[in-house]
Amino acid sequence: MYSQALDQPDRAAPEAEPDAALARFQARIDAEEKIEANDWMPAAYRRTLIRQISQHAHSEIVGMGPEGNWITRAPSLRRKVALLAKVQDECGHGLYLYAAAETLDVSREALVDQLLEGRAKYSSIFNYPTLTWADIGVIGWLVDGAAIMNQIPLCRCSYGPYARAMIRICKEESFHQRQGFEIVLTLARGTPAQRAMAQDALDRWWWPVLMMFGPPDSESQHSDQSMAWKIKRFSNDALRGKFLDATVPQAQYLGLSIPDPELRFVDGHWRHGPIDWEEFRRVLAGGGPCNAERLEARRRAHAEGAWVREAARAHAAKSAARARAA
């Protein structure tokens, strides 16, 4: 297990025939075989997986914060219980993903340290504030909806541990999306003030959600290689298009307006107007509305949980000592 930075050496290719090893590896990928933790893999494939899985895990953990803030303020006991269960699910998703990353010879501690030190990225969407109860509904409907669009193909990822983790995650995310849509539907059919609250939340979250799929294909640094290795199955722009086609009719059903004056229906598909990619880059670089707040919350939680980690290590050491004595 590596316990330091992610640029540690990877398992080396067989010295006698590295080109042949690469060819055999790609042949397995092309044949839709799953790559498992003990299989040989190119160093770049391993690095790509660690980067993607760890960023995904960080996003699940950081994403608990914006919604967790509303657990005590949810409008009914039913809503509190449902939101509490959802936040608990997101924590579980992060743990599944850290476990999947650990199969690639990187420690969970190293990954968490990178997040806390600001060296690791997570989804830009979680750097926006949740101002009203309607934001919780829109996060479920749109943010989790976009996550599902991106994650369902990951169930067929070429790396087995990641693909298997995604199966359960996608099932739970689908429930979260329906829960969010139901909240927005209730507001959209409520009082004028509730309807206005829902529309305001949609207006604020729409463009950040479209950015969740990543930069346009022309600017993506990793997409082509990830697709060749079948880590990804669709490009950023293709996934964004699928999301539009699924979501615009839902907004129409709700009677809410998409905040895009250039939204249009062309050749059977919805097309969006220009996205402010400068904002996307600014948020990723740490300049979003809540970047500092989100990282500080994680650092504080990590510090406050130190006693739990110490107790777990002490218990594990005691159990190991008893096993040796027996």
Side-chain angles (χ1 to χ4, degrees), residues 149-150 153 156 223 227 232-236 238-239 242:
M149 198 65 66
N150 184 56
R156 297 187 291 122
S223 189
M227 290 176 66
K232 289 178 63 172
R233 295 286 176 155
F234 299 97
S235 71
N236 297 347
L239 289 169
K242 287 175 176 288

Side-chain angles (χ1 to χ4, degrees), residues 264-291:
R264 58 209 181 274
F265 194 68
V266 180
D267 298 330
H269 297 283
W270 288 98
R271 311 291 184 188
H272 59 78
I275 295 175
D276 183 358
W277 291 114
E278 283 303 315
E279 177 184 349
F280 174 73
R281 287 186 281 270
R282 183 174 63 253
V283 173
L284 278 185
C290 298
N291 286 70

